Amino acid sequence: MCFFKLTGEDILQHLIALLKEYLDELSQSHGTYAHGFAEGQKTAYVECLEIIQHWDKADLYGLNWDIEERYPLSRHKKRPESK
């Protein structure tokens, strides 16, 4: 049960800090998790930060950088489309 209320800005600021912390931990923990699971977590966290980056105050809270440059995602190559 939550005994106090936060503003939307407080919640977003907290989320940004948590997501960055989780991404840093995943980047440092090689082999701790099954690779596919860790990559899925990383993708989800990066996508969350990218969504929050659309917030008009994101720059004020430190989201003024290229997230996928700092936390690159492995991309599966798409199959060529059949004609």
Side-chain angles (χ1 to χ4, degrees):
M1 176 176 237
C2 186
F3 296 102
F4 59 94
K5 297 292 182 185
L6 298 172
T7 67
E9 284 188 35
D10 289 338
I11 291 169
L12 286 170
Q13 185 176 7
H14 184 67
L15 274 173
I16 291 166
L18 277 177
L19 292 167
K20 286 168 47 178
E21 179 182 329
Y22 296 160
L23 283 163
D24 288 337
E25 287 175 6
L26 281 172
S27 297
Q28 295 172 6
S29 63
H30 302 289
T32 304
Y33 298 103
H35 177 71
F37 182 75
E39 198 60 36
Q41 282 183 302
K42 186 177 176 183
T43 299
Y45 298 151
V46 165
E47 288 178 355
C48 287
L49 284 177
E50 288 176 337
I51 290 167
I52 295 170
Q53 219 170 24
H54 291 284
W55 176 36
D56 62 348
K57 295 182 182 178
D59 289 357
L60 298 175
Y61 292 92
L63 275 184
N64 56 349
W65 42 276
D66 185 342
I67 295 165
E68 285 194 48
E69 185 176 310
R70 185 179 299 178
Y71 303 109
L73 301 174
S74 64
R75 302 282 186 195
H76 297 287
K77 293 182 180 180
K78 288 186 176 182
R79 292 184 209 159
E81 292 184 26
S82 59
K83 295 182 180 182

